[in-house]
Amino acid sequence: MPPTITSITPTQGPTTGGTPVTLTGTGMTGSTGVRFGSTNATSFTVNSATQITAVSPPRAAGAAAVTVIHPTGNSNSVTFTYVVAQVPVVTGVTPAGGPTAGGTGVTLTGTGFTGATAVSFGGVPATSYLVGSATQITAVTPAGTAGAAVVSVTTPGGTSAPDTYFFYAAPPVLTAVAPAQGPTAGGTVVTLTGSDLLNATAVRFGSTDAASFTVVSATRITATSPPGTGSPPVTVVTPGGTSNPVAFAYVAAPTLTALVPASGPTAGGTVVTLTGTHLATTSAVTFGGTPVSFTVVSDTQLTAVAPAGPAGPVTVAVTTAGGTGTGPAYTRVAAPGI
Protein backbone atom coordinates (compact mmCIF):
# COMPACT_ATOMS: atom_id res chain seq x y z
CA MET A 1 0.00 0.00 0.00
CA PRO A 2 1.52 3.39 -0.98
CA PRO A 3 2.43 5.86 1.79
CA THR A 4 0.25 8.85 2.60
CA ILE A 5 1.31 12.39 3.59
CA THR A 6 -0.93 14.28 5.98
CA SER A 7 1.23 17.34 6.64
CA ILE A 8 4.49 19.14 5.81
CA THR A 9 6.31 21.52 8.14
CA PRO A 10 7.33 24.20 7.29
CA THR A 11 5.18 24.83 4.24
CA GLN A 12 7.57 27.24 2.50
CA GLY A 13 11.23 28.05 2.01
CA PRO A 14 13.65 29.99 -0.19
CA THR A 15 14.33 29.28 -3.84
CA THR A 16 17.94 28.57 -2.86
CA GLY A 17 16.75 25.37 -1.18
CA GLY A 18 18.26 23.99 2.01
CA THR A 19 15.08 24.07 4.09
CA PRO A 20 14.68 21.04 6.39
CA VAL A 21 11.06 19.87 6.26
CA THR A 22 9.19 17.21 8.20
CA LEU A 23 6.66 15.01 6.38
CA THR A 24 4.09 13.30 8.58
CA GLY A 25 1.80 10.49 7.46
CA THR A 26 1.61 6.69 7.23
CA GLY A 27 3.36 3.78 5.55
CA MET A 28 6.70 5.56 5.12
CA THR A 29 8.97 2.68 6.07
CA GLY A 30 10.99 1.57 3.03
CA SER A 31 10.55 4.85 1.13
CA THR A 32 13.22 5.34 -1.52
CA GLY A 33 12.93 9.05 -2.26
CA VAL A 34 11.26 12.41 -1.71
CA ARG A 35 10.52 14.76 -4.60
CA PHE A 36 9.77 18.48 -4.75
CA GLY A 37 7.92 18.64 -8.07
CA SER A 38 10.16 16.61 -10.36
CA THR A 39 13.35 17.33 -8.37
CA ASN A 40 14.71 14.96 -5.77
CA ALA A 41 15.22 16.24 -2.25
CA THR A 42 18.83 17.18 -1.48
CA SER A 43 18.67 14.49 1.22
CA PHE A 44 16.07 12.65 3.25
CA THR A 45 15.81 10.36 6.28
CA VAL A 46 13.02 7.90 7.11
CA ASN A 47 12.58 8.43 10.85
CA SER A 48 9.67 6.04 11.31
CA ALA A 49 6.60 4.66 9.60
CA THR A 50 4.93 8.03 10.20
CA GLN A 51 7.73 10.54 9.64
CA ILE A 52 10.36 11.55 7.08
CA THR A 53 12.69 14.56 7.22
CA ALA A 54 13.95 15.97 3.93
CA VAL A 55 15.96 18.98 2.71
CA SER A 56 14.42 21.02 -0.07
CA PRO A 57 16.43 21.32 -3.31
CA PRO A 58 16.85 24.65 -5.18
CA ARG A 59 13.85 25.49 -7.35
CA ALA A 60 12.09 28.41 -8.99
CA ALA A 61 9.61 30.44 -6.99
CA GLY A 62 6.12 29.00 -6.77
CA ALA A 63 4.27 25.93 -5.51
CA ALA A 64 5.86 22.47 -5.70
CA ALA A 65 4.06 19.16 -5.13
CA VAL A 66 5.97 17.10 -2.57
CA THR A 67 5.65 13.32 -2.86
CA VAL A 68 7.21 10.28 -1.22
CA ILE A 69 8.55 7.55 -3.53
CA HIS A 70 7.91 3.98 -2.37
CA PRO A 71 8.17 0.51 -3.96
CA THR A 72 4.40 0.10 -3.50
CA GLY A 73 3.68 3.36 -5.27
CA ASN A 74 4.02 7.08 -4.81
CA SER A 75 2.18 8.94 -2.06
CA ASN A 76 -0.34 11.69 -2.45
CA SER A 77 1.19 15.17 -2.74
CA VAL A 78 1.30 18.16 -0.40
CA THR A 79 2.28 21.69 -1.37
CA PHE A 80 5.58 23.36 -0.48
CA THR A 81 5.89 26.96 -1.69
CA TYR A 82 9.22 28.35 -2.87
CA VAL A 83 9.73 32.04 -2.21
CA VAL A 84 12.50 34.37 -3.31
CA ALA A 85 14.86 34.62 -0.34
CA GLN A 86 15.27 38.13 1.02
CA VAL A 87 18.72 39.41 1.89
CA PRO A 88 18.51 40.32 5.59
CA VAL A 89 18.93 43.93 6.69
CA VAL A 90 19.97 44.85 10.25
CA THR A 91 18.76 48.31 11.24
CA GLY A 92 19.37 48.33 14.99
CA VAL A 93 20.94 46.59 17.96
CA THR A 94 19.86 47.22 21.56
CA PRO A 95 21.80 47.74 23.72
CA ALA A 96 24.44 49.11 21.38
CA GLY A 97 27.38 48.23 23.61
CA GLY A 98 28.66 45.84 26.24
CA PRO A 99 31.75 44.34 27.85
CA THR A 100 34.57 42.66 25.94
CA ALA A 101 33.88 39.55 28.02
CA GLY A 102 30.68 39.04 26.02
CA GLY A 103 27.44 37.73 27.50
CA THR A 104 25.33 40.79 26.67
CA GLY A 105 21.77 39.95 25.62
CA VAL A 106 20.87 42.10 22.62
CA THR A 107 17.88 42.53 20.35
CA LEU A 108 18.48 42.90 16.62
CA THR A 109 15.82 44.63 14.53
CA GLY A 110 15.54 44.71 10.77
CA THR A 111 13.99 42.69 7.95
CA GLY A 112 14.40 39.33 6.26
CA PHE A 113 15.42 37.39 9.38
CA THR A 114 13.27 34.33 8.69
CA GLY A 115 15.39 31.19 8.47
CA ALA A 116 18.52 32.88 9.82
CA THR A 117 21.40 30.42 9.94
CA ALA A 118 24.00 32.62 11.65
CA VAL A 119 24.42 35.79 13.71
CA SER A 120 27.89 37.21 14.25
CA PHE A 121 29.62 40.12 15.97
CA GLY A 122 32.81 41.21 14.29
CA GLY A 123 32.93 37.88 12.48
CA VAL A 124 32.58 35.85 15.69
CA PRO A 125 29.42 33.72 16.00
CA ALA A 126 26.93 34.79 18.67
CA THR A 127 27.00 32.62 21.77
CA SER A 128 23.33 31.90 21.03
CA TYR A 129 20.48 33.44 19.10
CA LEU A 130 16.74 33.04 18.60
CA VAL A 131 14.75 34.21 15.59
CA GLY A 132 11.63 35.79 17.04
CA SER A 133 10.18 36.94 13.73
CA ALA A 134 11.15 38.19 10.29
CA THR A 135 12.03 41.53 11.94
CA GLN A 136 13.57 40.54 15.28
CA ILE A 137 16.34 38.31 16.63
CA THR A 138 17.57 38.04 20.20
CA ALA A 139 21.22 37.07 20.61
CA VAL A 140 23.97 36.82 23.21
CA THR A 141 27.26 38.49 22.31
CA PRO A 142 30.48 36.47 22.23
CA ALA A 143 33.71 37.79 23.74
CA GLY A 144 35.32 40.49 21.60
CA THR A 145 37.96 43.18 21.50
CA ALA A 146 37.37 46.79 22.50
CA GLY A 147 35.90 48.85 19.66
CA ALA A 148 33.18 48.60 17.04
CA ALA A 149 32.13 45.17 15.77
CA VAL A 150 29.96 44.68 12.68
CA VAL A 151 26.69 42.89 13.46
CA SER A 152 25.65 40.52 10.68
CA VAL A 153 22.80 38.10 10.07
CA THR A 154 22.98 35.29 7.52
CA THR A 155 19.93 33.66 5.97
CA PRO A 156 19.39 31.59 2.83
CA GLY A 157 19.02 34.94 1.08
CA GLY A 158 22.53 36.07 1.96
CA THR A 159 24.36 38.06 4.63
CA SER A 160 23.35 41.53 5.80
CA ALA A 161 25.46 44.54 4.81
CA PRO A 162 28.00 45.86 7.38
CA ASP A 163 25.82 48.81 8.40
CA THR A 164 25.19 48.17 12.10
CA TYR A 165 27.72 47.95 14.93
CA PHE A 166 27.99 46.70 18.48
CA PHE A 167 30.55 48.56 20.58
CA TYR A 168 32.71 46.45 22.84
CA ALA A 169 34.00 48.31 25.90
CA ALA A 170 37.01 47.30 27.97
CA PRO A 171 36.24 46.92 31.69
CA PRO A 172 36.97 50.05 33.75
CA VAL A 173 39.97 50.05 36.08
CA LEU A 174 40.40 52.26 39.16
CA THR A 175 43.86 53.03 40.53
CA ALA A 176 43.14 55.67 43.18
CA VAL A 177 40.54 57.79 44.97
CA ALA A 178 41.54 61.15 46.49
CA PRO A 179 40.82 62.09 49.15
CA ALA A 180 40.38 58.55 50.43
CA GLN A 181 38.24 59.58 53.39
CA GLY A 182 35.47 61.97 54.32
CA PRO A 183 32.70 62.69 56.83
CA THR A 184 29.82 60.30 57.48
CA ALA A 185 27.46 63.07 56.38
CA GLY A 186 28.78 62.71 52.84
CA GLY A 187 29.44 65.61 50.51
CA THR A 188 33.13 64.92 49.93
CA VAL A 189 34.18 65.61 46.33
CA VAL A 190 36.61 62.85 45.36
CA THR A 191 38.66 62.30 42.23
CA LEU A 192 38.76 58.78 40.83
CA THR A 193 41.64 57.97 38.50
CA GLY A 194 42.08 54.90 36.33
CA SER A 195 41.40 53.82 32.75
CA ASP A 196 38.44 53.11 30.43
CA LEU A 197 36.12 55.31 32.49
CA LEU A 198 34.22 56.89 29.57
CA ASN A 199 30.45 56.45 29.40
CA ALA A 200 30.25 55.62 33.10
CA THR A 201 26.66 54.99 34.15
CA ALA A 202 27.21 54.86 37.91
CA VAL A 203 29.71 55.50 40.70
CA ARG A 204 28.98 53.56 43.87
CA PHE A 205 30.18 53.78 47.46
CA GLY A 206 29.46 50.24 48.55
CA SER A 207 25.92 49.67 47.28
CA THR A 208 24.97 53.35 47.42
CA ASP A 209 25.14 55.58 44.35
CA ALA A 210 27.29 58.69 44.54
CA ALA A 211 25.33 61.87 45.21
CA SER A 212 26.56 63.02 41.77
CA PHE A 213 29.45 62.38 39.41
CA THR A 214 31.08 63.84 36.32
CA VAL A 215 33.13 61.95 33.74
CA VAL A 216 36.08 64.27 33.10
CA SER A 217 37.99 61.94 30.75
CA ALA A 218 38.74 58.29 30.08
CA THR A 219 41.08 58.39 33.08
CA ARG A 220 39.28 60.63 35.58
CA ILE A 221 35.89 61.00 37.26
CA THR A 222 34.87 63.38 40.02
CA ALA A 223 32.15 62.20 42.38
CA THR A 224 30.43 63.41 45.55
CA SER A 225 30.22 60.89 48.37
CA PRO A 226 26.78 60.02 49.76
CA PRO A 227 26.22 59.71 53.53
CA GLY A 228 27.67 56.48 54.91
CA THR A 229 29.74 54.66 57.48
CA GLY A 230 32.71 52.32 57.55
CA SER A 231 35.02 51.71 54.60
CA PRO A 232 32.88 50.89 51.54
CA PRO A 233 34.52 49.93 48.22
CA VAL A 234 34.17 52.57 45.53
CA THR A 235 33.39 51.20 42.06
CA VAL A 236 32.58 52.60 38.63
CA VAL A 237 30.07 51.01 36.24
CA THR A 238 30.42 51.45 32.45
CA PRO A 239 29.18 49.49 29.43
CA GLY A 240 32.40 47.50 29.88
CA GLY A 241 31.34 46.25 33.30
CA THR A 242 32.12 47.11 36.92
CA SER A 243 35.59 48.22 37.98
CA ASN A 244 37.77 46.84 40.70
CA PRO A 245 37.09 48.46 44.10
CA VAL A 246 39.17 51.16 45.79
CA ALA A 247 38.72 51.95 49.48
CA PHE A 248 37.06 55.06 50.88
CA ALA A 249 36.78 55.52 54.65
CA TYR A 250 33.97 57.40 56.35
CA VAL A 251 35.24 59.35 59.37
CA ALA A 252 33.02 60.45 62.26
CA ALA A 253 33.02 64.15 63.17
CA PRO A 254 35.48 65.12 65.93
CA THR A 255 34.43 66.19 69.42
CA LEU A 256 36.32 68.18 72.09
CA THR A 257 35.46 67.54 75.73
CA ALA A 258 38.29 69.15 77.72
CA LEU A 259 41.21 71.61 77.54
CA VAL A 260 44.06 71.37 80.06
CA PRO A 261 44.91 74.02 81.04
CA ALA A 262 41.81 75.95 80.00
CA SER A 263 43.49 79.33 80.33
CA GLY A 264 46.82 81.06 79.79
CA PRO A 265 48.52 84.41 79.29
CA THR A 266 47.67 86.81 76.50
CA ALA A 267 51.26 86.43 75.32
CA GLY A 268 50.47 82.89 74.20
CA GLY A 269 52.86 79.96 74.20
CA THR A 270 50.87 77.74 76.58
CA VAL A 271 50.89 74.07 75.58
CA VAL A 272 47.28 72.90 75.87
CA THR A 273 46.15 69.28 75.89
CA LEU A 274 42.88 68.77 73.98
CA THR A 275 40.84 65.70 74.82
CA GLY A 276 37.95 64.34 72.74
CA THR A 277 37.08 61.72 70.12
CA HIS A 278 37.91 61.01 66.46
CA LEU A 279 40.99 63.24 66.48
CA ALA A 280 43.42 60.99 64.57
CA THR A 281 42.95 62.70 61.20
CA THR A 282 43.20 66.25 62.52
CA SER A 283 44.36 68.68 59.86
CA ALA A 284 43.89 71.99 61.68
CA VAL A 285 43.44 73.45 65.19
CA THR A 286 42.31 77.03 65.72
CA PHE A 287 41.97 79.29 68.78
CA GLY A 288 39.46 82.01 68.02
CA GLY A 289 39.95 81.37 64.31
CA THR A 290 43.74 81.59 64.48
CA PRO A 291 45.55 78.45 63.24
CA VAL A 292 48.06 77.02 65.71
CA SER A 293 50.72 74.32 65.70
CA PHE A 294 49.59 70.97 67.06
CA THR A 295 50.61 67.35 67.57
CA VAL A 296 48.28 64.34 67.28
CA VAL A 297 48.92 62.12 70.29
CA SER A 298 46.10 59.62 69.71
CA ASP A 299 42.55 59.41 68.43
CA THR A 300 41.44 61.01 71.71
CA GLN A 301 44.20 63.53 72.43
CA LEU A 302 46.06 66.45 70.85
CA THR A 303 48.53 69.00 72.13
CA ALA A 304 48.46 72.54 70.74
CA VAL A 305 50.25 75.81 71.44
CA ALA A 306 47.91 78.68 72.34
CA PRO A 307 48.52 81.85 70.29
CA ALA A 308 48.87 85.38 71.63
CA GLY A 309 45.78 87.53 71.70
CA PRO A 310 43.59 89.85 73.73
CA ALA A 311 42.25 88.78 77.10
CA GLY A 312 39.02 86.83 77.14
CA PRO A 313 37.57 83.50 76.02
CA VAL A 314 38.03 82.13 72.47
CA THR A 315 36.51 79.12 70.73
CA VAL A 316 38.83 76.17 70.12
CA ALA A 317 38.04 74.16 66.97
CA VAL A 318 39.49 70.99 65.52
CA THR A 319 39.14 70.05 61.82
CA THR A 320 39.50 66.44 60.65
CA ALA A 321 38.47 64.37 57.66
CA GLY A 322 35.16 63.94 59.47
CA GLY A 323 34.43 67.66 59.77
CA THR A 324 34.97 70.37 62.38
CA GLY A 325 34.23 70.12 66.10
CA THR A 326 34.37 72.73 68.85
CA GLY A 327 34.78 72.34 72.58
CA PRO A 328 35.20 74.30 75.80
CA ALA A 329 36.50 77.82 75.44
CA TYR A 330 40.13 78.76 76.14
CA THR A 331 40.51 81.95 78.16
CA ARG A 332 43.43 84.35 77.77
CA VAL A 333 44.27 86.11 80.98
CA ALA A 334 46.01 89.48 81.06
CA ALA A 335 49.09 89.84 83.22
CA PRO A 336 48.46 91.65 86.53
CA GLY A 337 49.29 95.37 86.55
CA ILE A 338 51.97 96.82 88.82
Short mmCIF file of all heavy atoms in Angstrom, two decimals, residues 108-152:
data_model
loop_
_atom_site.label_atom_id
_atom_site.label_comp_id
_atom_site.label_asym_id
_atom_site.label_seq_id
_atom_site.Cartn_x
_atom_site.Cartn_y
_atom_site.Cartn_z
N LEU A 108 18.22 42.38 17.95
CA LEU A 108 18.48 42.90 16.62
C LEU A 108 17.14 43.16 15.94
O LEU A 108 16.25 42.31 15.97
CB LEU A 108 19.29 41.90 15.79
CG LEU A 108 20.56 41.33 16.39
CD1 LEU A 108 21.23 40.37 15.41
CD2 LEU A 108 21.51 42.44 16.78
N THR A 109 17.01 44.32 15.31
CA THR A 109 15.82 44.63 14.53
C THR A 109 16.22 44.85 13.08
O THR A 109 17.35 45.23 12.78
CB THR A 109 15.12 45.89 15.07
OG1 THR A 109 16.08 46.97 15.16
CG2 THR A 109 14.55 45.64 16.45
N GLY A 110 15.27 44.58 12.20
CA GLY A 110 15.54 44.71 10.77
C GLY A 110 14.49 43.99 9.96
O GLY A 110 13.32 43.92 10.36
N THR A 111 14.91 43.42 8.82
CA THR A 111 13.99 42.69 7.95
C THR A 111 14.69 41.46 7.39
O THR A 111 15.92 41.37 7.38
CB THR A 111 13.54 43.58 6.77
OG1 THR A 111 14.69 44.02 6.04
CG2 THR A 111 12.74 44.79 7.26
N GLY A 112 13.87 40.51 6.94
CA GLY A 112 14.40 39.33 6.26
C GLY A 112 15.12 38.35 7.16
O GLY A 112 16.01 37.63 6.70
N PHE A 113 14.73 38.27 8.45
CA PHE A 113 15.42 37.39 9.38
C PHE A 113 14.92 35.95 9.36
O PHE A 113 15.55 35.07 9.97
CB PHE A 113 15.29 37.93 10.81
CG PHE A 113 16.02 39.22 11.06
CD1 PHE A 113 15.70 40.00 12.16
CD2 PHE A 113 17.02 39.67 10.20
CE1 PHE A 113 16.37 41.19 12.42
CE2 PHE A 113 17.69 40.85 10.43
CZ PHE A 113 17.36 41.63 11.55
N THR A 114 13.82 35.69 8.70
CA THR A 114 13.27 34.33 8.69
C THR A 114 14.30 33.33 8.16
O THR A 114 14.92 33.56 7.13
CB THR A 114 12.00 34.27 7.82
OG1 THR A 114 11.03 35.19 8.36
CG2 THR A 114 11.42 32.87 7.82
N GLY A 115 14.47 32.24 8.90
CA GLY A 115 15.39 31.19 8.47
C GLY A 115 16.84 31.51 8.70
O GLY A 115 17.72 30.89 8.10
N ALA A 116 17.13 32.49 9.57
CA ALA A 116 18.52 32.88 9.82
C ALA A 116 19.35 31.66 10.24
O ALA A 116 18.92 30.85 11.07
CB ALA A 116 18.59 33.94 10.90
N THR A 117 20.52 31.55 9.64
CA THR A 117 21.40 30.42 9.94
C THR A 117 22.63 30.84 10.73
O THR A 117 23.38 29.99 11.21
CB THR A 117 21.86 29.76 8.63
OG1 THR A 117 22.49 30.76 7.79
CG2 THR A 117 20.68 29.16 7.88
N ALA A 118 22.85 32.16 10.88
CA ALA A 118 24.00 32.62 11.65
C ALA A 118 23.81 34.08 12.05
O ALA A 118 23.20 34.86 11.32
CB ALA A 118 25.29 32.48 10.86
N VAL A 119 24.33 34.41 13.24
CA VAL A 119 24.42 35.79 13.71
C VAL A 119 25.84 35.97 14.23
O VAL A 119 26.34 35.11 14.98
CB VAL A 119 23.41 36.07 14.85
CG1 VAL A 119 23.61 37.49 15.40
CG2 VAL A 119 21.98 35.90 14.35
N SER A 120 26.51 37.03 13.81
CA SER A 120 27.89 37.21 14.25
C SER A 120 28.16 38.65 14.65
O SER A 120 27.47 39.58 14.22
CB SER A 120 28.87 36.78 13.16
OG SER A 120 28.76 37.64 12.03
N PHE A 121 29.18 38.81 15.49
CA PHE A 121 29.62 40.12 15.97
C PHE A 121 31.10 40.24 15.67
O PHE A 121 31.93 39.51 16.23
CB PHE A 121 29.38 40.25 17.48
CG PHE A 121 27.92 40.25 17.87
CD1 PHE A 121 27.20 39.07 17.90
CD2 PHE A 121 27.28 41.44 18.16
CE1 PHE A 121 25.85 39.07 18.24
CE2 PHE A 121 25.93 41.44 18.50
CZ PHE A 121 25.22 40.26 18.54
N GLY A 122 31.42 41.08 14.70
CA GLY A 122 32.81 41.21 14.29
C GLY A 122 33.36 39.92 13.72
O GLY A 122 34.55 39.62 13.87
N GLY A 123 32.50 39.14 13.07
CA GLY A 123 32.93 37.88 12.48
C GLY A 123 32.93 36.71 13.43
O GLY A 123 33.20 35.57 13.02
N VAL A 124 32.61 36.94 14.69
CA VAL A 124 32.58 35.85 15.69
C VAL A 124 31.12 35.45 15.92
O VAL A 124 30.28 36.32 16.19
CB VAL A 124 33.23 36.30 17.01
CG1 VAL A 124 33.18 35.17 18.04
CG2 VAL A 124 34.65 36.76 16.77
N PRO A 125 30.81 34.15 15.82
CA PRO A 125 29.42 33.72 16.00
C PRO A 125 28.87 34.10 17.37
O PRO A 125 29.59 34.06 18.38
CB PRO A 125 29.49 32.20 15.85
CG PRO A 125 30.72 31.96 15.04
CD PRO A 125 31.70 33.02 15.47
N ALA A 126 27.60 34.51 17.39
CA ALA A 126 26.93 34.79 18.67
C ALA A 126 26.96 33.55 19.54
O ALA A 126 26.94 32.41 19.05
CB ALA A 126 25.49 35.22 18.41
N THR A 127 27.03 33.75 20.84
CA THR A 127 27.00 32.62 21.77
C THR A 127 25.72 31.82 21.58
O THR A 127 25.71 30.59 21.62
CB THR A 127 27.11 33.12 23.21
OG1 THR A 127 28.33 33.85 23.35
CG2 THR A 127 27.08 31.97 24.20
N SER A 128 24.62 32.53 21.35
CA SER A 128 23.33 31.90 21.03
C SER A 128 22.45 32.95 20.38
O SER A 128 22.70 34.16 20.51
CB SER A 128 22.66 31.35 22.29
OG SER A 128 22.34 32.41 23.19
N TYR A 129 21.43 32.49 19.67
CA TYR A 129 20.48 33.44 19.10
C TYR A 129 19.14 32.74 18.87
O TYR A 129 19.06 31.51 18.76
CB TYR A 129 20.98 34.05 17.79
CG TYR A 129 21.05 33.10 16.61
CD1 TYR A 129 19.97 32.97 15.73
CD2 TYR A 129 22.20 32.35 16.36
CE1 TYR A 129 20.04 32.11 14.63
CE2 TYR A 129 22.27 31.49 15.29
CZ TYR A 129 21.19 31.37 14.43
OH TYR A 129 21.26 30.51 13.36
N LEU A 130 18.09 33.55 18.82
CA LEU A 130 16.74 33.04 18.60
C LEU A 130 16.01 33.98 17.65
O LEU A 130 15.94 35.18 17.90
CB LEU A 130 15.97 32.94 19.93
CG LEU A 130 14.51 32.49 19.84
CD1 LEU A 130 14.43 31.04 19.35
CD2 LEU A 130 13.82 32.63 21.19
N VAL A 131 15.50 33.41 16.55
CA VAL A 131 14.75 34.21 15.59
C VAL A 131 13.32 34.35 16.10
O VAL A 131 12.56 33.38 16.15
CB VAL A 131 14.75 33.55 14.20
CG1 VAL A 131 13.95 34.42 13.21
CG2 VAL A 131 16.17 33.36 13.70
N GLY A 132 12.98 35.57 16.53
CA GLY A 132 11.63 35.79 17.04
C GLY A 132 10.63 36.01 15.94
O GLY A 132 9.47 35.61 16.04
N SER A 133 11.06 36.65 14.86
CA SER A 133 10.18 36.94 13.73
C SER A 133 11.04 37.37 12.56
O SER A 133 12.27 37.40 12.66
CB SER A 133 9.18 38.05 14.08
OG SER A 133 9.86 39.29 14.26
N ALA A 134 10.41 37.73 11.46
CA ALA A 134 11.15 38.19 10.29
C ALA A 134 11.85 39.52 10.56
O ALA A 134 12.75 39.91 9.82
CB ALA A 134 10.20 38.34 9.10
N THR A 135 11.46 40.21 11.66
CA THR A 135 12.03 41.53 11.94
C THR A 135 12.78 41.60 13.26
O THR A 135 13.26 42.67 13.63
CB THR A 135 10.91 42.59 11.97
OG1 THR A 135 9.96 42.25 12.99
CG2 THR A 135 10.22 42.68 10.62
N GLN A 136 12.91 40.47 13.97
CA GLN A 136 13.57 40.54 15.28
C GLN A 136 14.31 39.25 15.62
O GLN A 136 13.79 38.14 15.42
CB GLN A 136 12.55 40.84 16.37
CG GLN A 136 13.18 41.08 17.74
CD GLN A 136 12.14 41.40 18.79
OE1 GLN A 136 11.60 40.52 19.45
NE2 GLN A 136 11.84 42.69 18.92
N ILE A 137 15.52 39.43 16.13
CA ILE A 137 16.34 38.31 16.63
C ILE A 137 16.89 38.72 17.98
O ILE A 137 17.32 39.86 18.16
CB ILE A 137 17.52 38.00 15.67
CG1 ILE A 137 17.00 37.41 14.35
CG2 ILE A 137 18.51 37.04 16.32
CD1 ILE A 137 18.11 37.16 13.33
N THR A 138 16.88 37.82 18.94
CA THR A 138 17.57 38.04 20.20
C THR A 138 18.83 37.19 20.18
O THR A 138 18.82 36.05 19.71
CB THR A 138 16.71 37.67 21.41
OG1 THR A 138 16.26 36.32 21.30
CG2 THR A 138 15.51 38.60 21.51
N ALA A 139 19.93 37.76 20.65
CA ALA A 139 21.22 37.07 20.61
C ALA A 139 22.04 37.41 21.83
O ALA A 139 21.79 38.42 22.51
CB ALA A 139 21.98 37.45 19.34
N VAL A 140 23.03 36.57 22.11
CA VAL A 140 23.97 36.82 23.21
C VAL A 140 25.35 37.02 22.59
O VAL A 140 25.83 36.18 21.82
CB VAL A 140 23.99 35.65 24.21
CG1 VAL A 140 25.04 35.89 25.30
CG2 VAL A 140 22.62 35.45 24.82
N THR A 141 25.98 38.15 22.93
CA THR A 141 27.26 38.49 22.31
C THR A 141 28.37 37.54 22.77
O THR A 141 28.42 37.14 23.92
CB THR A 141 27.69 39.93 22.67
OG1 THR A 141 27.84 40.04 24.09
CG2 THR A 141 26.66 40.93 22.18
N PRO A 142 29.28 37.23 21.85
CA PRO A 142 30.48 36.47 22.23
C PRO A 142 31.52 37.44 22.81
O PRO A 142 31.32 38.66 22.79
CB PRO A 142 30.96 35.91 20.89
CG PRO A 142 30.57 36.99 19.91
CD PRO A 142 29.25 37.54 20.42
N ALA A 143 32.61 36.92 23.31
CA ALA A 143 33.71 37.79 23.74
C ALA A 143 34.28 38.50 22.51
O ALA A 143 34.25 37.98 21.39
CB ALA A 143 34.79 36.97 24.43
N GLY A 144 34.76 39.72 22.71
CA GLY A 144 35.32 40.49 21.60
C GLY A 144 36.41 41.42 22.07
O GLY A 144 36.75 41.46 23.26
N THR A 145 36.94 42.20 21.16
CA THR A 145 37.96 43.18 21.50
C THR A 145 37.34 44.57 21.54
O THR A 145 36.33 44.83 20.85
CB THR A 145 39.11 43.16 20.47
OG1 THR A 145 38.57 43.37 19.16
CG2 THR A 145 39.83 41.82 20.50
N ALA A 146 37.92 45.45 22.34
CA ALA A 146 37.37 46.79 22.50
C ALA A 146 37.28 47.50 21.16
O ALA A 146 38.20 47.46 20.34
CB ALA A 146 38.25 47.59 23.46
N GLY A 147 36.12 48.14 20.92
CA GLY A 147 35.90 48.85 19.66
C GLY A 147 34.60 48.42 19.01
O GLY A 147 33.78 47.69 19.59
N ALA A 148 34.41 48.88 17.77
CA ALA A 148 33.18 48.60 17.04
C ALA A 148 33.27 47.25 16.32
O ALA A 148 34.27 46.94 15.68
CB ALA A 148 32.92 49.71 16.01
N ALA A 149 32.20 46.47 16.44
CA ALA A 149 32.13 45.17 15.77
C ALA A 149 30.89 45.14 14.88
O ALA A 149 29.79 45.48 15.32
CB ALA A 149 32.06 44.03 16.79
N VAL A 150 31.07 44.76 13.62
CA VAL A 150 29.96 44.68 12.68
C VAL A 150 29.01 43.57 13.12
O VAL A 150 29.43 42.46 13.45
CB VAL A 150 30.45 44.40 11.25
CG1 VAL A 150 29.28 44.12 10.32
CG2 VAL A 150 31.26 45.57 10.74
N VAL A 151 27.72 43.89 13.15
CA VAL A 151 26.69 42.89 13.46
C VAL A 151 26.12 42.38 12.14
O VAL A 151 25.68 43.18 11.31
CB VAL A 151 25.57 43.49 14.32
CG1 VAL A 151 24.51 42.44 14.63
CG2 VAL A 151 26.14 44.08 15.59
N SER A 152 26.15 41.07 11.93
CA SER A 152 25.65 40.52 10.68
C SER A 152 24.72 39.34 10.93
O SER A 152 24.87 38.60 11.91
CB SER A 152 26.79 40.09 9.77
OG SER A 152 27.54 39.05 10.36
#
